[in-house]
Amino acid sequence: MKWTKFYLPDAYSPTMEQLVYFHDHTMSIITSITILICILLNSLLWNKLIDLNMNEHQMIETWWTILPTIVLFLIAIPSLKILYSMEELINPTISIKSMGHQWYWSYEYSDKFCKELESYMKYKKKNDFRLLEVDNKMKAPFLTQIRMIFSSSDVLHSWTIPCLGIKMDAVPGRINQSSLMIKKPG
């Protein structure tokens, strides 16, 4: 693995784009806090200045209480906005039901035409990705609002596509749903 592969995958949906922007926003805040703390620690180690009036100073105590609260709000508000947008369903054109089974997934397209397919893992060949290649791939149109419905017939399963920013758990006896919009074909 090279050092250039440590970043998030390319975004293929608006949700993943928002998650990447939020990651960059949060990392810039964390980096600036880390640099500030390093500068302050450096000045504490090398300066021997003592101000006895600072012991009773109420204003600095107020500021070092207020500033972390402001920083937490700068992180929490975009986070909540993304969380609510991920749960929002906007007039889905297609619904795809995904059912997790012991060793395979079954998909059902049920809105405009009724089509069912089962997707089994393929054995690893030379150019295949391990545990990712299947015999029948789920096909979804791009630039279309899709509702994904997840459930399981036996045990817990996890359905995820990192470049779309979607990860849902399929739980037996429970239906989970998520919206999905793919911006690029492939």
Side-chain angles (χ1 to χ4, degrees):
M1 180 178 249
K2 297 182 181 177
W3 66 274
T4 56
K5 301 289 183 188
F6 285 131
Y7 196 62
L8 298 170
D10 293 336
Y12 281 77
S13 70
T15 302
M16 187 61 185
E17 287 177 355
Q18 289 179 355
L19 289 172
V20 169
Y21 292 145
F22 176 69
H23 173 266
D24 294 343
H25 168 72
T26 307
M27 288 306 293
S28 66
I29 290 173
I30 290 171
T31 304
S32 62
I33 289 172
T34 304
I35 290 171
L36 177 68
I37 295 298
C38 288
I39 291 170
L40 290 175
L41 282 174
N42 190 26
S43 68
L44 278 175
L45 287 174
W46 299 110
N47 290 335
K48 301 295 182 200
L49 302 173
I50 297 174
D51 187 7
L52 295 176
N53 293 330
M54 198 67 141
N55 290 340
E56 298 296 325
H57 206 290
Q58 303 278 324
M59 186 59 78
I60 196 163
E61 291 178 6
T62 305
W63 280 108
W64 75 45
T65 305
I66 291 174
L67 284 178
T69 307
I70 292 171
V71 169
L72 287 176
F73 274 112
L74 287 175
I75 294 173
I77 291 173
S79 172
L80 290 174
K81 179 182 170 189
I82 292 172
L83 278 174
Y84 282 115
S85 71
M86 288 173 71
E87 293 294 323
E88 188 175 319
L89 283 172
I90 308 168
N91 284 338
T93 308
I94 296 173
S95 292
I96 303 173
K97 185 171 105 176
S98 176
M99 182 72 87
H101 300 281
Q102 188 76 29
W103 293 104
Y104 65 97
W105 288 89
S106 63
Y107 300 102
E108 180 182 327
Y109 301 84
S110 59
D111 280 343
K112 295 184 179 174
F113 54 91
C114 190
K115 181 180 178 185
E116 294 182 21
L117 61 103
E118 293 178 346
S119 182
Y120 291 91
M121 278 192 300
K122 286 166 63 174
Y123 290 109
K124 174 127 173 70
K125 293 183 181 170
K126 185 173 183 166
N127 294 327
D128 289 345
F129 291 110
R130 183 176 177 268
L131 299 177
L132 290 179
E133 291 296 325
V134 293
D135 57 355
N136 291 323
K137 295 181 180 179
M138 184 195 83
K139 294 176 177 62
F142 71 101
L143 297 177
T144 304
Q145 194 69 32
I146 304 166
R147 174 183 26 219
M148 293 290 300
I149 301 170
F150 303 97
S151 189
S152 173
S153 65
D154 45 20
V155 295
L156 294 175
H157 295 280
S158 181
W159 194 90
T160 181
I161 302 177
C163 62
L164 295 179
I166 184 171
K167 181 188 181 304
M168 289 298 286
D169 293 326
V171 181
R174 179 178 216 153
I175 294 177
N176 289 334
Q177 75 175 359
S178 179
S179 66
L180 175 67
M181 187 171 109
I182 304 169
K183 288 181 71 174
K184 299 176 186 174

